Every structure is written in structure tokens, then in C-alpha cells.
Amino acid sequence: MGRRRAPELYRAPFPLYALQVDPSTGLLIAAGGGGAAKTGIKNGVLELINGRLSASLLHSHDTETRATMNLALAGDILAAGQDAHCQLLRFQAHQQQGNKAEKAGSKEQGPRQRKGAAPAEKKCGAETQHEGLELRVENLQAVQTDFSSDPLQKVVCFNHDNTLLATGGTDGYVRVWKVPSLEKVLEFKAHEGEIEDLALGPDGKLVTVGRDLKASVWQKDQLVTQLHWQENGPTFSSTPYRYQACRFGQVPDQPAGLRLFTVQIPHKRLRQPPPCYLTAWDGSNFLPLRTKSCGHEVVSCLDVSESGTFLGLGTVTGSVAIYIAFSLQCLYYVREAHGIVVTDVAFLPEKGRGPELLGSHETALFSVAVDSRCQLHLLPSRRSVPVWLLLLLCVGLIIVTILLLQSAFPGFL
């Protein structure tokens, strides 16, 4: 039996590092670059064709010599981490009737392009019209967010109402900025060394994880508590673990419920690697609820679906997996889908155009990697037996049992 393969949506002419999906337009936004080499932000249109999602290149935004390493999306505003800076961009998509695609570069930007030469790049504020959709991308404010000796912004995220964004990087400081002015409103030292990930909750609490093996919960710049995983979960006396990623997620069917999900990986690589772990935490008191192993491949990235139902994982060996958030059970797994480190994963939103694009599938996860490819991972709907059919089967089983007993023991009834 052959190895499961995921459909390839797009192949960029440079490594891809970050990914976002706009729920209102269905735009898939992938970003990356090669530093001083050609870099850019790529947008793809998602289409539902014969029950399957596909993508076509819609717009290329030139970021000059700055590779985009991380992204966050808030409405029509993108926050892009580029070296030691955070660049805000605004994109506007308008549906046009009777529009024709640009003649220039039409061969490179065909409606079903998967691979090929790099398309002509658009400068700041350039417009692109393609298949009835007009897209405009413009640069807004930019600010330096990291000040270490080798500065790099490693993570950026918006708060629940998109009025603030938080950044973290190699200097261990969290900085919070107003949107869109990028006026700094808060700055504090969160970790000794690099910040690996951070997540902002709807109640204003901020969770940070760092290379110093700590995961901390903050209310503004005040430490609320630290997460204690190894004290409550599986421990290996000679193997220290560190937190690699953190994400907040809703609790399905509980509007006020909140969960925090974290990934723990071995701090040092060993010849016989111990397993990595997924942990679900109570979002109010930050006590661990459930921990499960997620395999021996080192996890590189994490995402939570909009409803909090699914978790998406990528690994440094290129594998991609989808887990059910409630039980932390693996539902989907593709070994070495990319063959090299998966840099980001993102679920198709469950609102806006999401249900239309999803079709009969239960969820869709996108992944990007250093191999320059964007892939699609579809989870088929899990078939369930209707209750009425179960009851009918039970009644039928009882009748058959009675008949068998009557046949084997005459006069049983």
C-alpha cells in the first residue's frame, strides 16, 4: 500500500514560513523568502471544484530583502514579522463583474497553477485583477520589535478585538502595540533567552513559552502563574522538556469555555528521541486536563481550529497531523508530507466562505514548509450511525435471539 500523499496547492520560488487564511474572502496568504534573495507574500484563491479545494496565484507582494517569518491576520490587516521588525499591511479584495485577468503575466498566473516560474511581482499599493477579483495590498506602519545582538521577531498575534498586537523575539521581551499606529503600550522581560511562542486570550491574559523551559501566564506585565507540566505529567529524569508552542481554543458547545493547548518537546536531541507531548489546560486556572504523546517526531508548529474542535501539528521531519482537541486522539497523519521542516499550519475558517469551500469534509488544514510548497490536508467526515438505526438493530437482535432460543428449546416461550 502506497504512502498517503497530500495535494499540493502551490509551490513558491522561495521557502515558505508563515500562513494565514482570510475567512471573508477565502484568500490563502502564504509568506516567506530567502533573505537578500527574492522574497514576497503570496496570496492564493481557494476554489471548490468538483468537490475538491484548489488554489491559483492571485497576487505577489514584494518585500524586497526582508523575508517574512511569521504572520497574524486581523480583518484586512496583516502583521508580518520581517527580521527584527513588524510590518503592517492592508489588503483589500473586491469582487468585480466582467473583469478580465491581466494580460501581462497571464501565462504564469493561470487559474489552476500548481508549479512554475515566479510571477511578475507587484510593488507596494499595486492592484491585481484576476478572475473577477480585484486585490490591492499596501504597506502601513512598521516598527522594530526585537533588540538582541542578533535580532529576530519570532512571533506576533492580535488580541480578541484586534486593537492590540503582541510580539516576541530573541531578546526575551514581550512588546504590545496599538493597531494600526504601532504605538508601544507595554514592554516587559518574559523569558531568559528566546520567546518561542505567545498567545493572547479573550480575557486579556497572555501566555508565553520560551527557550528557558518555562511557560508563563501574564496579566499585562504581571506574572499570574507558570505552567507546571512535568510535575503533573509524564517525566523523564534525564530528559528535560521545553514548551514549543501554545494556542488558546474554544470549548465546543460551551460558549464561555476556554482551553489552552501546548506542545512539549525534548530540550536536547538524543540518539533515541523520547516522545513529544500535547497538553490541554483549563483556560481559567491553567491546570492540566489531559496529556498525550504525539509521537517521536519533534513538533515544529501548532494550530487550533476556529471552533476548538481540532488541533493541527507540523513536525521538523515534514509530517502533518490532525488531532481531536477533546481527547487528543490522532485522526489524520501524513508521514513526511513535505520531507523537511513544516514551518506553519492553518485551518480553513469555519465561518465566512469556509463551509462553502469545505464541502462534505469535516475540516481542512493547510501546511507550508521550507520546501516552498503549500499543501492541503482534508479530513473526511466521520460517519456515524443514526440513533434510530441502532434501536432498530437492537430490536432485530432481540427478536433473532428469541427465535433461536425457541428453535433450540421448544416450549421456551
Side-chain angles (χ1 to χ4, degrees):
M1 184 176 179
R3 178 183 294 180
R4 177 190 284 183
R5 295 184 180 274
E8 180 178 313
L9 288 180
Y10 176 71
R11 179 170 292 187
F14 46 75
L16 293 173
Y17 297 116
L19 186 64
Q20 291 288 325
V21 186
D22 177 42
S24 60
T25 61
L27 284 173
L28 176 68
I29 305 167
K38 178 164 51 175
T39 66
I41 293 179
K42 299 296 180 183
N43 296 328
V45 178
L46 299 178
E47 302 168 336
L48 187 64
I49 302 174
N50 296 327
R52 296 184 64 184
L53 285 162
S54 67
S56 58
L57 181 65
L58 176 62
H59 184 79
S60 175
H61 184 75
D62 186 12
T63 60
E64 299 176 353
T65 61
R66 303 181 307 276
T68 299
M69 307 299 292
N70 41 82
L71 280 176
L73 177 64
D76 62 351
I77 293 181
L78 276 169
Q82 299 172 350
D83 300 330
H85 294 76
C86 183
Q87 171 73 59
L88 291 188
L89 306 100
R90 175 176 281 116
F91 69 96
Q92 297 175 320
H94 303 285
Q95 197 71 32
Q96 300 290 324
Q97 294 184 354
N99 260 345
K100 295 183 179 180
E102 289 183 328
K103 295 182 179 180
S106 61
K107 292 183 179 180
E108 291 80 14
Q109 301 189 37
R112 308 272 161 76
Q113 178 188 358
R114 298 297 197 282
K115 305 177 183 177
E121 296 192 349
K122 305 295 175 184
K123 299 299 180 182
C124 172
E127 293 184 5
T128 302
Q129 295 178 2
H130 182 83
E131 295 184 346
L133 193 66
E134 177 184 339
L135 184 69
R136 179 180 176 85
V137 181
E138 60 177 330
N139 290 334
L140 301 178
Q141 302 293 327
V143 66
Q144 184 171 352
T145 61
D146 194 82
F147 298 88
S148 66
S149 56
D150 187 16
L152 177 67
Q153 176 181 300
K154 299 194 70 174
V155 59
V156 58
C157 70
F158 288 93
N159 68 341
H160 70 286
D161 61 2
N162 301 330
T163 58
L164 301 171
L165 66 84
T167 60
T170 55
D171 65 1
Y173 277 82
V174 169
R175 295 176 175 91
V176 181
W177 315 82
K178 286 184 179 180
V179 178
S181 66
L182 290 186
E183 175 189 348
K184 185 166 62 179
V185 297
L186 189 64
E187 177 182 24
F188 63 93
K189 181 77 169 179
H191 293 274
E192 297 297 329
E194 299 181 9
I195 293 177
E196 286 292 335
D197 202 3
L198 56 83
L200 277 165
D203 58 354
K205 287 189 173 65
L206 171 70
V207 177
T208 62
V209 299
R211 285 267 179 170
D212 57 3
L213 315 186
K214 295 180 180 179
S216 303
V217 182
W218 308 85
Q219 188 74 56
K220 294 187 177 179
D221 58 352
Q222 299 299 309
L223 179 64
V224 176
T225 186
Q226 289 188 340
L227 303 185
H228 299 282
W229 173 74
Q230 287 199 266
E231 294 89 332
N232 298 281
T235 58
F236 298 87
S237 58
S238 60
T239 307
Y241 277 73
R242 65 179 176 86
Y243 297 88
Q244 171 66 16
C246 59
R247 289 289 185 277
F248 280 106
Q250 296 181 0
V251 180
D253 302 323
Q254 296 183 28
L258 188 66
R259 293 286 184 267
L260 174 71
F261 299 94
T262 61
V263 170
Q264 294 79 237
I265 65 173
H267 182 53
K268 296 181 180 180
R269 294 190 179 183
L270 303 175
R271 180 173 299 178
Q272 294 182 342
C276 298
Y277 288 92
L278 262 174
T279 301
W281 307 76
D282 188 298
S284 58
N285 56 27
F286 297 98
L287 294 176
L289 300 174
R290 186 174 290 105
T291 290
K292 280 198 175 181
S293 167
C294 50
H296 293 266
E297 297 175 87
V298 177
V299 177
S300 56
C301 51
L302 166 70
D303 192 37
V304 182
S305 66
E306 193 172 20
S307 64
T309 305
F310 301 105
L311 307 177
L313 297 181
T315 73
V316 298
T317 51
S319 301
V320 177
I322 299 175
Y323 285 74
I324 187 78
F326 172 74
S327 62
L328 303 184
Q329 175 189 356
C330 185
L331 301 176
Y332 172 99
Y333 173 75
V334 180
R335 181 177 176 83
E336 297 178 1
H338 288 273
I340 197 170
V341 58
V342 178
T343 48
D344 203 2
V345 291
F347 280 100
L348 181 69
E350 297 164 4
K351 299 177 182 177
R353 292 199 62 204
E356 170 196 348
L357 297 171
L358 194 58
S360 61
H361 298 93
E362 195 159 359
T363 192
L365 180 71
F366 302 96
S367 62
V368 293
V370 181
D371 63 1
S372 307
R373 294 185 296 163
C374 176
Q375 291 187 349
L376 169 66
H377 307 270
L378 291 169
L379 180 66
S381 295
R382 290 167 289 173
R383 296 180 180 179
S384 58
V385 180
V387 176
W388 64 267
L389 182 57
L390 287 175
L391 293 174
L392 185 62
L393 289 174
C394 290
V395 171
L397 184 61
I398 293 172
I399 294 174
V400 170
T401 302
I402 293 174
L403 292 176
L404 288 174
L405 289 172
Q406 180 68 21
S407 175
F409 304 100
F412 175 73
L413 293 178

